[in-house]
Amino acid sequence: MPKNIKDILIEMKNMSELMVDLAYSALLFNSKDAAEEVIKLENKVNRLNYQIKKESLLAARTVEDAEKLTALLEVGEATETIADSAKDIADLVLKGIKPHPVFKMVMEESDEVITRIKILEGSELSDKSLGELLLATRTGMTVIAIRRNESWIYGPDKNTILSTDDSLIVKGNVTGGSLLLQLANGETKLEDLEYEEFTED
Amino acid sequence: MPKNIKDILIEMKNMSELMVDLAYSALLFNSKDAAEEVIKLENKVNRLNYQIKKESLLAARTVEDAEKLTALLEVGEATETIADSAKDIADLVLKGIKPHPVFKMVMEESDEVITRIKILEGSELSDKSLGELLLATRTGMTVIAIRRNESWIYGPDKNTILSTDDSLIVKGNVTGGSLLLQLANGETKLEDLEYEEFTED
């Protein structure tokens, strides 16, 4: 049973962080796809919070149990509220509001970049797992979500295998983003990357 | 004036993301310091949202202006709500609740790690800026906040210079975390790091 609550909590934590990222990304890229994904995730977070409540109620046997479990309930509620707020941001995109030019300016000037990168034919990124590629270690870029054909893979992990034509939504700094773009275009090979990092110092 | 709104928006976006990170980190490490920092940030986000409202009202001259500016107001509100929820999580830590063992389990099993790393005497990380160190590119680890003596530096950027005895709160994967720990201990030199990355393939 604690195993169950633990898995739910991990999923809620990862999802709420992903939703905040995706919601801002939807707003800044004016992407209805990303916004729709936030809506789906919000439903999922709500269902997970319902499960947290149910499991916590079942787990409480003693006063001490109950004291410890109230914290879980409160974290569940807070996470659901974060998810709701991300949904509010995504709703703006889906309502088709005219985006204020300031959003584009934020995107351009933020120290952190969120960008969409497509894996082209011939890129070494294809048919490899994120763990194998060590993308975060090598480029400093985190893959937030992957658009594959008509579906999204959100919160990819080290076992997720990339394919040609995948669109990655990635987050990181400008330098890392341009390295990753070159890898995805097939302009740069993985072995060149180490060389580039070396010369950057 | 739009310049002003843009800067406020960047700060709100970065702060709300930082607060969610810090709040979970406070909970998982049972850190009152980190929790108190979340409370301070929440006050700051509230003040920024007030400024967004004021600037938006002053900027609206035409119906079209107003249509575009409502989106800004709504993003400001959503960000404030995210900040409030992060504060709710931090409050649990400050109230001194008995943490449920499940929080520790989440920390241990999550694919992503949030950890605190102290820079020891003799580490190459001292007296260099984050931009110069290329930590994110080299290790895949993002510095969320820095504890220096009695104060915190939150949302450090590429110009932030690290010092001996700084405690870094960092986020990333397990591999990157152990690389960074070795750098901070002085066990590994920056030039060794490239070699290690090379042999990891």
Side-chain angles (χ1 to χ4, degrees), chain A residues 102-117:
Chain A
V102 82
F103 295 131
K104 198 160 170 290
M105 290 163 72
V106 169
M107 198 56 216
E108 286 162 1
E109 297 205 18
S110 174
D111 207 32
E112 184 177 86
V113 292
I114 300 175
T115 186
R116 181 189 281 246
I117 288 177

Side-chain angles (χ1 to χ4, degrees), chain A residues 6 24 79 109 137-138 201, chain B residues 6 24 109 137-138 201:
Chain A
K6 191 202 68 202
Y24 276 114
T79 307
E109 297 205 18
T137 309
R138 280 170 154 150
D201 301 334
Chain B
K6 190 201 71 201
Y24 277 113
E109 297 206 17
T137 310
R138 280 171 154 149
D201 301 334

Side-chain angles (χ1 to χ4, degrees), chain A residues 2 4 37 54 89 95 108 117 124 135 142 191 196 199:
Chain A
N4 203 0
E37 198 51 36
K54 210 174 63 179
I89 296 176
K95 275 190 266 170
E108 286 162 1
I117 288 177
E124 276 192 289
L135 278 193
T142 309
E191 54 170 36
E196 287 202 24
T199 55

